[in-house]
Amino acid sequence: MFKPHNLKKLRVFVSIVFLLSLSFIFLDTKETFPVWFRESFLFLQLVPSVIQATTVIGWMALGILVVIILTLLFGRIYCSFICPLGILQDVITRIANLFRKKKRRFRFLKARNILRYSLLIVVVAASFSGFIIILGWLDPFSVFGRFMTHAVRPVYIYINNGISSLLFSINNYWLNPIEFRAYSWASAGAVVALMTLVVWMAAAYGRQYCNTVCPVGTFLGLLSKFSLYKIRLDQQLCNSCGLCQQVCKAGCINTKEKSVDMSRCVGCYNCLTACKSNGVLYSIGLPITSDASHNSSRRQFLGSSASLVIATAGLANTIDQPQHENPTTIPEEKNFPVSPPGSKSLDHFVSKCIACHLCVSVCPKQVLQPSLFEYGLKGFLQPRMDYHTSFCNFDCTLCGEACPTGAILPLTLEQKHVEQIGKVVFIRRNCIVRTDLTDCGACSEHCPTKAVIMVPWRKVLLIPEVKPEICIGCGACEYACPTKPFKAIYVDGNKVHQIADKPEVLEQLAAPKPEDDFPF
């Protein structure tokens, strides 16, 4: 038998550690945390662990086994100990209580099984049909990641830069400003829409997002019915006073019937400490069987959702790879978007990325930006290389080290230096050397492999000449190109990443320093 107060203290301590650590990982702009620290907290996130298990065999993929074993032993403690969005909802609920005249008292809520099981089946079917992004939209880790990246992180940078400016004014250079290159309003809109739903549910009903929308919560709820340890009401000691029910954020305790719906219990242990009569137990017990009404609801749900699953699968098969179009006289004809180095191919990346945006957070050059429809509907909000915003640092491999799902596989620096994610294309009629008859060479100056060189033109000028076979697609040329609105030089993505030829004098080349700025 566990001591109730110790269990709640343990839950609060572990949840604070996970929430703060994961928050700092998303806010870290200076590579403060080592890889082992980041992986220690990421490998237990269920959806990233499941997806990575289908991609690579590694210890991070074992996270799914750890979570399943914990759930079969102790119930859905994942939702209160480990899940950052679940813990954040507890914080929101607590803050909401501060603005109430009376402390909120929860009540037993009817299970919305048709809704939550329908959503789970749709998400699973969509994932197998190639629409894994739907799982990413609802996955609690991804929702939390986008919230931190597009809502909290800009505020953090703004405050940092404000304090930095203030210190600079008094000749104190202790705090450096953080560069902020671009802001994705599309991602911000998606974050606001979903977080509004999460905040409203948390403030008004406690953990209803976890028990109606979240596919992870629904999946773990199915497992927790068979958990070894269960919350239960003692039929003799329980006096139906309702104290446990009033603190149950999941709304799963029915004191009138002296029953607990373990499929919705999130393992917060508040009920154990609230009970004055020792009528709430957390002990080994037989699996709880579903009642007749639940079975009836489940049959209705299976019947009504079958056609929806088939329709979803059929829709996925109609989606083709996207084609980039620009209605201009000298367009940048990009056939494919550029996916991050280590993502192998567009198909691999789109099928594995859940748009948690951790790679967006750790990218020091901020070249990774959320996409709209560059990858097609399947890839909405998945990160892409935006060379109009920035470029990929030649000596950086952070995105592959951070990706928790294996959508971006880690690369060594040697591999990164020849990983060809796209090829350079030059439009001579757009080049400022030709249009303005002036010197330039910004593209060649910043090309780390010298896939762009300057050659004599009209006797007195130099104009770019490209060697696509040694280009790695880092986008430094496109970012540096000063022409507007369309670039004279750009990178067309490779549908399947290639290995670039090594330049003859690669060992003599020096990559641009990250702190170097461009002339335009």
Side-chain angles (χ1 to χ4, degrees), residues 121-254:
I121 285 190
V122 168
V123 166
V124 172
S127 300
F128 280 107
S129 302
F131 271 101
I132 199 169
I133 193 61
I134 294 179
L135 173 61
W137 292 343
L138 301 179
D139 165 48
F141 175 74
S142 301
V143 173
F144 176 80
R146 292 193 292 272
F147 170 69
M148 294 301 299
T149 302
H150 302 292
V152 179
R153 197 167 188 266
V155 175
Y156 166 73
I157 293 176
Y158 180 80
I159 294 175
N160 176 92
N161 291 350
I163 297 175
S164 175
S165 298
L166 182 63
L167 293 177
F168 277 21
S169 65
I170 57 174
N171 296 324
N172 186 318
Y173 305 101
W174 171 74
L175 187 64
N176 292 322
I178 301 172
E179 188 177 17
F180 193 62
R181 292 176 181 264
Y183 188 73
S184 171
W185 291 103
S187 290
V191 167
V192 169
L194 193 54
M195 283 307 295
T196 300
L197 175 67
V198 172
V199 170
W200 171 69
M201 282 186 161
Y205 303 105
R207 288 295 197 95
Q208 283 308 290
Y209 180 88
C210 307
N211 283 328
T212 54
V213 180
C214 179
V216 174
T218 304
F219 170 70
L220 295 181
L222 291 172
L223 295 181
S224 67
K225 288 184 177 181
F226 307 98
S227 64
L228 183 63
Y229 279 86
K230 289 184 172 67
I231 298 286
R232 62 183 66 243
L233 303 186
D234 188 286
Q235 300 298 313
Q236 301 299 324
L237 296 177
C238 175
N239 56 15
S240 298
C241 67
L243 289 176
C244 57
Q245 184 176 285
Q246 293 171 7
V247 297
C248 178
K249 296 172 288 188
C252 66
I253 298 178
N254 187 340

